[in-house]
Amino acid sequence: MSNLLPSPETVECGPSPGTATLEALPDRTTRLGALEVHRVLPVRGRRLIGPWCFFDRYGPLTFGPDKPMDVAPHPHIGLQTVTWLLSGEVVHNDSLGSECLVRPGQLSLMTAGRGIAHTEETPASNSGKLDGVQLWVALPEASRHVAPEYQCTKEQPVVDCPGGRVTSILGGASAGRQYSAGVGIDIAVDPRSRAALALNPGFEYGVLLAQGDADLLGVPLQPNTLYYLGAGRSELNAVSRDGARILLIGGAPFGEKILMWWNFVARTQDEIVEARKSWESHEVFGEVPRYNGPRIPAPTLLGRAL
Ligand code: MN
């Protein structure tokens, strides 16, 4: 996924104060070709949840001969990208030569580190369905210049919990490489059930209802809305009438100020200027083989970050 909101501004990200209640974060909607994308992080008032700094929700949708996801070559630095599907397929290719046909239940995890370029596309042979999320994890200072890496798993660990099942996307039993304390979890709540999941009180969390219906703390969750839970909780209880899928992200408060611009997570404006220049001059990031079409040019960098 590439950050394609028009005229991306430099966004300053940092830890935000916790809250004792469920805080609904309204999404911003954008369009990625035929694909409507709900950006639920970063949003006004919330830039980070643990190390998670970006959360795009797309689908569910059905389609015919078209190609709803077609993200041309674009660069990343200083972050990890996570692609997690509830239905459909996405093909990942990158400048390391990695290729993966990602399906529901498989983790597609790309560590950009000091620089990588990639594409994400709907494959020609597909189910005609697409439903998923794209998440970014900010890399901490000590790790943000690591060599780029790509992991694509066959499946992710699933365990039963009261009232449902939990799948580790990142953290816990997931094989996905991690550079700071955080979790990404897909919770399936059975119909007419209450799913209970232990939380780390030292982590702050956010939840998004991805399918079905669910109540959390007595609040009926709305789709395309991220709810901030803050820290200090030891348990999550979700109640569903007809069954639900809930995505939970969390982690220790990141504790570092980051600068986000376009597809870059950095610390200084100079780094962003340098990364942009490298992409425009075909340096550092490499090219993505097997993509048929031009790369995405870097947007104009407007103004200075604060
Ligand atoms: Mn991307």
Side-chain angles (χ1 to χ4, degrees):
M1 184 71 60
S2 177
N3 182 356
L4 291 176
L5 277 180
S7 304
E9 304 150 18
T10 301
V11 175
E12 186 172 345
C13 305
S16 311
T19 170
T21 55
L22 207 56
E23 177 192 354
L25 306 175
D27 71 301
R28 292 179 293 157
T29 304
T30 186
R31 195 159 272 279
L32 206 58
L35 192 59
E36 187 179 65
V37 171
H38 299 274
R39 182 149 306 153
V40 296
L41 196 72
V43 291
R44 187 175 294 278
R46 183 64 50 194
R47 301 304 188 189
L48 282 161
I49 297 179
W52 302 92
C53 62
F54 182 97
F55 192 147
D56 264 3
R57 169 84 179 108
Y58 50 85
L61 67 117
T62 57
F63 55 93
D66 45 336
K67 185 178 178 183
M69 183 166 291
D70 188 1
V71 187
H74 62 279
H76 287 284
I77 61 167
L79 55 83
Q80 295 175 291
T81 67
V82 172
T83 297
W84 183 253
L85 297 177
L86 288 93
S87 67
E89 309 80 15
V90 169
V91 175
H92 164 99
N93 277 280
D94 64 43
S95 51
L96 302 174
S98 320
E99 180 173 26
C100 184
L101 173 58
V102 186
R103 297 179 188 279
Q106 292 181 246
L107 170 66
S108 175
L109 176 66
M110 184 179 78
T111 301
R114 57 179 173 256
I116 195 168
H118 76 142
T119 60
E120 287 181 300
E121 302 168 83
T122 299
S125 173
N126 60 63
S127 60
K129 293 177 187 169
L130 186 61
D131 190 8
V133 297
Q134 163 88 189
L135 305 161
W136 296 356
V137 181
L139 291 172
E141 179 61 35
S143 310
R144 64 194 188 93
H145 302 295
V146 296
E149 180 188 30
Y150 179 71
Q151 293 175 271
C152 186
T153 67
K154 289 256 184 291
E155 57 185 15
Q156 288 298 103
V158 184
V159 295
D160 289 332
C161 70
R165 282 156 308 288
V166 298
T167 306
S168 294
I169 302 170
L170 204 59
S174 171
R177 184 122 27 237
Q178 274 192 298
Y179 294 92
S180 58
V183 291
I185 295 172
D186 183 328
I187 305 163
V189 188
D190 293 333
R192 296 175 302 282
S193 295
R194 170 188 294 268
L197 179 73
L199 300 181
N200 180 339
F203 283 7
E204 55 179 348
Y205 290 95
V207 296
L208 179 125
L209 176 68
Q211 279 180 1
D213 70 276
D215 281 32
L216 205 64
L217 300 172
V219 176
L221 301 181
Q222 303 301 311
N224 306 320
T225 303
L226 187 63
Y227 293 84
Y228 180 66
L229 299 175
R233 296 178 195 278
S234 54
E235 195 174 38
L236 180 102
N237 281 284
V239 180
S240 182
R241 188 183 61 243
D242 296 323
R245 292 278 291 279
I246 296 171
L247 301 178
L248 174 74
I249 58 171
F254 194 61
E256 294 179 36
K257 267 199 170 179
I258 63 175
L259 283 181
M260 268 179 74
W261 180 81
W262 194 35
N263 302 308
F264 304 144
V265 171
R267 298 295 183 275
T268 67
Q269 183 82 1
D270 286 351
E271 289 175 57
I272 289 170
V273 168
E274 189 63 28
R276 185 187 182 285
K277 199 173 105 190
S278 297
W279 178 245
E280 291 300 282
S281 58
H282 292 252
E283 292 165 356
V284 177
F285 296 101
E287 306 299 328
V288 184
R290 291 188 287 266
Y291 183 81
N292 183 22
R295 61 202 334 241
I296 300 177
T300 304
L301 180 50
L302 302 167
R304 284 186 65 84
L306 296 174

